[in-house]
């Protein structure tokens, strides 16, 4: 008997994201108020890739809100809560993650076509690129934000990815000596930093002595791929930085492919595993039956060896393999069935694991995973920036608009000085 194909409940996902947009989020999100920009970016990006149009008045409000989070010394703050009431704006702290989400969000809600050149109007490109350069340490790593004139935060590759993304979205390639030229980050240093993070099992981590992780692998490879990416995404990429930044590519590919395993949903139900106890989907097949093919019912992904299956790792592992142009096959049909039959929620969105409620993080990365699998009804996806390719095109136009305005302003200033001297 032929197994019926699982159904992507697109209308329910749209309702879920509209509910997140139109109403207050559940109380557990209160603790994440400082990352409000991230939740906003996920919400609008999800509606975008699901082909939901935006209201012009809402777009105007989003732009005003995002630009009000811009720090006068460069970068963006994650939420208005980053500055205490009565404080001056420059006493808050911009951070890399907020800056990434701010730039993507401004592009998501921008108009299509030539009007999109104004998407970054109001963004202080010069200050943000100089702030980005100050965040890089001598060892090539990036801090999350500045404190007392020094970059602070961990050295892991999440920051490398965010920095590489912000650089690509804002810097461009202006002519040497032009008004739009800004000092670049140390590309050789960041490549060496990422290369040093490959571990004994082929995965990538903050350092070779730390535990490897699929999320770190994505951030490492995406950071390198964005260093390789030309100004126009459609022009392809050279893969030079990716090749130089991974010391053992074959071992990394195997690590990523090994993240998928046979997920035994029925056995878990029979064992009566308690989701509240944090033991969800810990039951796995015997080692001699871990080969994944399309005859397998469900193919889940984990982020590290001997860990549980989780919706987001479908994205982190499959996305990294896609950027590496690997020859490794994953079980596409089992992966799709895992997402649509195990973690797709009845009210829309995706949960982290079976039996859990949906949340914005996993709901968005679940859609991203389906986009990689070519799901009908989802826009074509940019794996490196984790947004629709339409949004990437708007980022390109917005960057060009910023550079053009910088050069025009410099020309106007030069002309004004000329007439003052006459």
């Amino acid at each position: 008997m032929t197994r019926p194909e699982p159904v992507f409940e697109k209308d329910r996902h749209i309702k879920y994201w509209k509910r997140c947009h139109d109403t207050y989020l559940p109380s557990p999100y209160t603790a994440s108020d400082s990352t409000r920009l991230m939740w906003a970016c996920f919400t609008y990006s999800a509606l975008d890739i699901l082909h939901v149009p935006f209201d012009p008045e809402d777009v105007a409000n989003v732009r005003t809100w995002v630009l009000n989070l811009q720090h006068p010394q460069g970068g963006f703050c994650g939420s208005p809560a980053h500055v205490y009431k009565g404080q001056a704006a420059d006493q808050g702290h911009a951070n890399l993650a907020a800056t990434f989400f701010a730039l993507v969000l401004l592009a998501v809600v921008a108009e299509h076509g030539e009007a999109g050149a104004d998407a970054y109007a109001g963004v202080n490109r010069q200050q943000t690129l100089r702030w980005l350069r100050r965040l890089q340490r001598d060892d090539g790593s990036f801090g999350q934000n500045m404190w007392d004139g020094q970059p602070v935060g961990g050295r892991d590759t999440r920051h490398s990815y965010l920095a590489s993304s912000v650089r690509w979205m804002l810097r461009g390639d202006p002519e040497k000596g032009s008004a739009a030229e800004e000092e670049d980050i140390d590309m050789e240093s960041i490549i060496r930093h990422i290369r040093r993070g490959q571990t004994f099992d082929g995965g990538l981590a903050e350092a070779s002595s730390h535990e490897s992780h699929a999320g770190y692998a994505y951030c490492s490879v995406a950071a390198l791929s964005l260093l390789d990416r030309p100004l126009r995404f459609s022009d392809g990429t050279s893969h030079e930085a990716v090749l130089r930044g991974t010391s053992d590519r074959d071992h990394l590919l195997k690590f990523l492919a090994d993240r998928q395993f046979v997920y035994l949903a029925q056995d878990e139900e029979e064992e009566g595993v308690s989701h509240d106890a944090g033991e969800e989907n810990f039951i796995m097949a015997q080692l001699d039956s871990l080969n994944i093919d399309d005859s397998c019912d469900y193919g889940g992904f984990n982020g590290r060896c001997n860990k549980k299956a989780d919706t987001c790792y479908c994205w982190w592992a499959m996305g990294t393999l896609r950027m590496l142009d690997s020859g490794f096959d994953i079980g596409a049909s089992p992966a799709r069935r895992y997402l649509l039959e195990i973690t797709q929620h009845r009210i829309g969105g995706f949960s982290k694991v079976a039996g859990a409620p949906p949340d914005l993080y996993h709901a968005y990365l679940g859609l991203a995973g389906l986009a990689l699998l070519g799901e009908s009804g989802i826009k074509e996806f940019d794996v490196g920036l984790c947004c629709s390719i339409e949004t990437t095109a708007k980022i390109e136009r917005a960057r060009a608009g910023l550079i053009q305005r910088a050069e025009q302003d410099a020309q106007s200033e030069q002309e004004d000085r000329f007439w003052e001297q006459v």
Side-chain angles (χ1 to χ4, degrees):
M1 183 175 178
T2 305
R3 181 189 181 90
E5 283 296 311
V7 177
F8 172 50
E9 301 283 358
K10 181 177 177 178
D11 289 344
R12 292 188 180 183
H13 288 276
I14 291 174
K15 288 180 180 178
Y16 171 80
W17 286 107
K18 283 187 173 181
R19 189 161 54 246
C20 292
H21 175 275
D22 296 339
T23 64
Y24 290 111
L25 295 176
S27 57
Y29 287 93
T30 303
S32 301
D33 185 72
S34 64
T35 55
R36 202 184 302 177
L37 249 178
M38 177 180 71
W39 302 128
C41 187
F42 283 163
T43 301
Y44 282 92
S45 295
L47 292 170
D48 169 52
I49 64 176
L50 291 170
H51 299 270
V52 178
F54 301 129
D55 175 72
E57 183 178 353
D58 186 34
V59 167
N61 290 335
V62 169
R63 282 189 50 80
T64 300
W65 177 68
V66 173
L67 292 173
N68 281 338
L69 294 174
Q70 186 169 208
H71 196 282
Q73 295 176 9
F76 288 78
C77 300
S79 144
H82 277 196
V83 179
Y84 290 114
K85 186 176 181 180
Q87 276 189 319
D90 60 1
Q91 290 178 279
H93 292 280
N95 67 78
L96 265 177
T99 304
F100 168 86
F101 288 117
L103 295 174
V104 173
L105 179 54
L106 287 172
V108 169
V109 300
E111 295 183 54
H112 293 280
E114 293 304 316
D118 293 328
Y120 286 167
V123 173
N124 193 329
R125 173 180 174 274
Q126 181 186 65
Q127 286 289 77
T128 298
L129 288 173
R130 292 178 180 179
W131 168 77
L132 183 68
R133 183 68 184 88
R134 293 196 300 272
L135 282 172
Q136 189 174 23
R137 304 183 180 95
D138 292 340
D139 64 0
S141 68
F142 283 81
Q144 174 76 335
N145 57 273
M146 299 294 294
W147 189 272
D148 289 337
Q150 297 297 320
V152 295
R155 283 174 159 76
D156 66 64
T157 54
R158 290 174 297 181
H159 301 159
S160 300
Y161 165 66
L162 295 168
S164 186
S165 299
V166 171
R167 172 190 180 272
W168 187 84
M169 288 189 278
L170 286 184
R171 188 173 188 276
D173 190 22
E175 292 185 12
K176 190 171 181 61
S178 74
E181 185 186 26
E182 290 295 334
E183 184 182 4
D184 202 358
I185 63 173
D186 187 340
M187 293 178 61
E188 292 300 317
S189 182
I190 187 176
I191 290 171
R192 289 195 299 269
H193 169 66
I194 292 172
R195 184 182 177 89
R196 288 193 294 268
Q198 189 157 25
T199 62
F200 74 95
D201 61 0
L204 289 161
E206 179 180 356
S208 61
S209 59
H210 293 192
E211 185 178 20
S212 56
H213 193 284
Y216 284 152
Y218 171 89
C219 290
S220 299
V221 173
L224 296 168
S225 70
L226 284 159
L227 295 179
D228 281 327
R229 182 181 288 197
L231 298 185
R232 284 172 49 86
F233 176 51
S234 56
D235 290 341
T237 186
S238 70
H239 292 287
E240 179 186 354
V242 173
L243 291 172
R244 292 171 55 207
T246 49
S247 58
D248 191 338
R249 181 177 182 274
D250 290 342
H251 207 184
L252 172 60
L253 292 174
K254 185 178 185 303
F255 169 82
L256 293 166
D258 286 347
R259 303 281 56 77
Q260 189 177 29
F261 61 91
V262 177
Y263 173 77
L264 303 178
Q266 184 175 357
D267 288 5
E268 179 176 275
E269 292 174 4
E270 292 173 354
E271 289 286 335
V273 175
S274 169
H275 298 291
D276 294 334
E279 299 175 351
E280 55 273 0
N281 62 64
F282 201 68
I283 301 171
M284 297 170 60
Q286 296 297 314
L287 290 176
D288 61 357
S289 62
L290 285 180
N291 290 333
I292 301 286
D293 57 38
D294 283 352
S295 65
C296 159
D297 285 344
Y298 306 111
F301 287 80
N302 61 19
R304 297 169 286 168
C305 296
N306 299 319
K307 295 296 183 179
K308 308 164 188 177
D310 183 329
T311 294
C312 69
Y313 292 118
C314 294
W315 160 255
W316 299 124
M318 291 193 301
T320 312
L321 287 167
R322 177 71 62 85
M323 287 186 289
L324 290 168
D325 291 334
S326 75
F328 278 69
D329 290 328
I330 56 129
S333 292
R336 182 174 181 270
R337 286 194 291 267
Y338 171 79
L339 288 171
L340 294 181
E341 295 187 6
I342 302 299
T343 63
Q344 179 176 232
H345 204 277
R346 69 185 67 182
I347 68 168
F350 290 86
S351 59
K352 172 182 171 72
V353 294
D359 65 86
L360 276 72
Y361 174 78
H362 291 92
Y364 185 67
L365 294 186
L367 291 178
L370 288 177
L372 291 184
L373 295 170
E375 188 67 39
S376 175
I378 300 177
K379 288 183 180 178
E380 194 174 357
F381 214 66
D382 180 346
V383 184
L385 289 177
C386 198
C387 61
S388 71
I389 287 180
E390 285 184 8
T391 295
T392 300
K394 290 191 281 187
I395 290 172
E396 293 170 359
R397 286 192 291 272
R399 182 217 299 132
L402 272 182
I403 292 173
Q404 184 180 28
R405 279 189 290 275
E407 293 172 342
Q408 290 173 343
D409 290 346
Q411 180 65 28
S412 297
E413 185 178 343
Q414 186 176 4
E415 291 173 356
D416 290 342
R417 285 200 300 269
F418 171 80
W419 289 110
E420 289 171 359
Q421 296 168 4
V422 172

mmCIF file of all heavy atoms in Angstrom, residues 135-149:
data_model
loop_
_atom_site.group_PDB
_atom_site.id
_atom_site.type_symbol
_atom_site.label_atom_id
_atom_site.label_comp_id
_atom_site.label_asym_id
_atom_site.label_seq_id
_atom_site.Cartn_x
_atom_site.Cartn_y
_atom_site.Cartn_z
ATOM 1 N N LEU A 135 34.793 45.701 16.279
ATOM 2 C CA LEU A 135 34.377 44.486 16.980
ATOM 3 C C LEU A 135 35.304 43.299 16.716
ATOM 4 O O LEU A 135 35.262 42.306 17.447
ATOM 5 C CB LEU A 135 32.954 44.096 16.569
ATOM 6 C CG LEU A 135 31.809 44.888 17.197
ATOM 7 C CD1 LEU A 135 30.488 44.517 16.538
ATOM 8 C CD2 LEU A 135 31.732 44.633 18.697
ATOM 9 N N GLN A 136 36.133 43.380 15.682
ATOM 10 C CA GLN A 136 37.016 42.256 15.370
ATOM 11 C C GLN A 136 38.274 42.306 16.231
ATOM 12 O O GLN A 136 38.938 43.330 16.347
ATOM 13 C CB GLN A 136 37.408 42.249 13.891
ATOM 14 C CG GLN A 136 38.153 40.984 13.473
ATOM 15 C CD GLN A 136 38.406 40.915 11.988
ATOM 16 O OE1 GLN A 136 38.436 41.929 11.291
ATOM 17 N NE2 GLN A 136 38.582 39.711 11.472
ATOM 18 N N ARG A 137 38.603 41.154 16.822
ATOM 19 C CA ARG A 137 39.794 41.040 17.654
ATOM 20 C C ARG A 137 41.007 40.649 16.792
ATOM 21 O O ARG A 137 40.870 40.280 15.624
ATOM 22 C CB ARG A 137 39.586 39.981 18.740
ATOM 23 C CG ARG A 137 38.376 40.214 19.637
ATOM 24 C CD ARG A 137 38.318 39.140 20.714
ATOM 25 N NE ARG A 137 37.195 39.305 21.609
ATOM 26 C CZ ARG A 137 36.012 38.677 21.456
ATOM 27 N NH1 ARG A 137 35.820 37.847 20.442
ATOM 28 N NH2 ARG A 137 35.039 38.869 22.333
ATOM 29 N N ASP A 138 42.179 40.687 17.404
ATOM 30 C CA ASP A 138 43.411 40.357 16.685
ATOM 31 C C ASP A 138 43.434 38.916 16.203
ATOM 32 O O ASP A 138 44.091 38.601 15.202
ATOM 33 C CB ASP A 138 44.629 40.611 17.583
ATOM 34 C CG ASP A 138 44.846 42.092 17.863
ATOM 35 O OD1 ASP A 138 44.321 42.925 17.089
ATOM 36 O OD2 ASP A 138 45.531 42.419 18.863
ATOM 37 N N ASP A 139 42.716 38.010 16.913
ATOM 38 C CA ASP A 139 42.730 36.604 16.505
ATOM 39 C C ASP A 139 41.715 36.311 15.399
ATOM 40 O O ASP A 139 41.547 35.165 14.981
ATOM 41 C CB ASP A 139 42.486 35.679 17.702
ATOM 42 C CG ASP A 139 41.101 35.854 18.327
ATOM 43 O OD1 ASP A 139 40.314 36.695 17.830
ATOM 44 O OD2 ASP A 139 40.805 35.144 19.309
ATOM 45 N N GLY A 140 41.009 37.346 14.923
ATOM 46 C CA GLY A 140 40.048 37.166 13.836
ATOM 47 C C GLY A 140 38.620 37.020 14.291
ATOM 48 O O GLY A 140 37.695 37.168 13.485
ATOM 49 N N SER A 141 38.410 36.713 15.562
ATOM 50 C CA SER A 141 37.054 36.541 16.079
ATOM 51 C C SER A 141 36.376 37.895 16.260
ATOM 52 O O SER A 141 37.029 38.938 16.221
ATOM 53 C CB SER A 141 37.077 35.795 17.415
ATOM 54 O OG SER A 141 37.682 36.602 18.421
ATOM 55 N N PHE A 142 35.057 37.855 16.470
ATOM 56 C CA PHE A 142 34.283 39.074 16.685
ATOM 57 C C PHE A 142 33.597 39.024 18.042
ATOM 58 O O PHE A 142 33.110 37.968 18.467
ATOM 59 C CB PHE A 142 33.217 39.245 15.600
ATOM 60 C CG PHE A 142 33.754 39.734 14.293
ATOM 61 C CD1 PHE A 142 34.353 38.864 13.397
ATOM 62 C CD2 PHE A 142 33.682 41.080 13.957
ATOM 63 C CE1 PHE A 142 34.869 39.317 12.202
ATOM 64 C CE2 PHE A 142 34.190 41.551 12.759
ATOM 65 C CZ PHE A 142 34.786 40.665 11.873
ATOM 66 N N GLY A 143 33.541 40.172 18.690
ATOM 67 C CA GLY A 143 32.734 40.292 19.885
ATOM 68 C C GLY A 143 31.290 40.559 19.507
ATOM 69 O O GLY A 143 30.976 40.850 18.346
ATOM 70 N N GLN A 144 30.416 40.483 20.494
ATOM 71 C CA GLN A 144 28.997 40.745 20.249
ATOM 72 C C GLN A 144 28.687 42.234 20.307
ATOM 73 O O GLN A 144 27.860 42.736 19.560
ATOM 74 C CB GLN A 144 28.151 39.985 21.290
ATOM 75 C CG GLN A 144 26.663 40.289 21.243
ATOM 76 C CD GLN A 144 25.953 39.618 20.090
ATOM 77 O OE1 GLN A 144 26.534 39.297 19.059
ATOM 78 N NE2 GLN A 144 24.663 39.404 20.251
ATOM 79 N N ASN A 145 29.369 42.959 21.185
ATOM 80 C CA ASN A 145 29.158 44.397 21.303
ATOM 81 C C ASN A 145 30.405 45.029 21.928
ATOM 82 O O ASN A 145 31.332 44.324 22.349
ATOM 83 C CB ASN A 145 27.910 44.714 22.132
ATOM 84 C CG ASN A 145 27.952 44.105 23.512
ATOM 85 O OD1 ASN A 145 27.548 42.954 23.695
ATOM 86 N ND2 ASN A 145 28.443 44.845 24.494
ATOM 87 N N MET A 146 30.429 46.365 21.963
ATOM 88 C CA MET A 146 31.563 47.095 22.537
ATOM 89 C C MET A 146 31.254 47.464 23.987
ATOM 90 O O MET A 146 30.120 47.817 24.321
ATOM 91 C CB MET A 146 31.837 48.366 21.737
ATOM 92 C CG MET A 146 32.190 48.141 20.282
ATOM 93 S SD MET A 146 33.764 47.276 20.053
ATOM 94 C CE MET A 146 34.912 48.496 20.704
ATOM 95 N N TRP A 147 32.291 47.372 24.834
ATOM 96 C CA TRP A 147 32.148 47.764 26.231
ATOM 97 C C TRP A 147 33.468 48.414 26.658
ATOM 98 O O TRP A 147 34.524 47.778 26.589
ATOM 99 C CB TRP A 147 31.852 46.547 27.106
ATOM 100 C CG TRP A 147 31.489 46.893 28.523
ATOM 101 C CD1 TRP A 147 32.349 47.069 29.575
ATOM 102 C CD2 TRP A 147 30.177 47.135 29.034
ATOM 103 N NE1 TRP A 147 31.659 47.386 30.711
ATOM 104 C CE2 TRP A 147 30.317 47.443 30.414
ATOM 105 C CE3 TRP A 147 28.909 47.124 28.476
ATOM 106 C CZ2 TRP A 147 29.232 47.732 31.226
ATOM 107 C CZ3 TRP A 147 27.824 47.420 29.281
ATOM 108 C CH2 TRP A 147 27.983 47.713 30.633
ATOM 109 N N ASP A 148 33.384 49.671 27.083
ATOM 110 C CA ASP A 148 34.583 50.420 27.457
ATOM 111 C C ASP A 148 35.643 50.388 26.354
ATOM 112 O O ASP A 148 36.846 50.236 26.609
ATOM 113 C CB ASP A 148 35.187 49.873 28.759
ATOM 114 C CG ASP A 148 34.319 50.196 29.967
ATOM 115 O OD1 ASP A 148 33.530 51.159 29.888
ATOM 116 O OD2 ASP A 148 34.433 49.484 30.985
ATOM 117 N N GLY A 149 35.162 50.491 25.120
ATOM 118 C CA GLY A 149 36.074 50.565 23.990
ATOM 119 C C GLY A 149 36.635 49.247 23.515
ATOM 120 O O GLY A 149 37.468 49.209 22.604
#
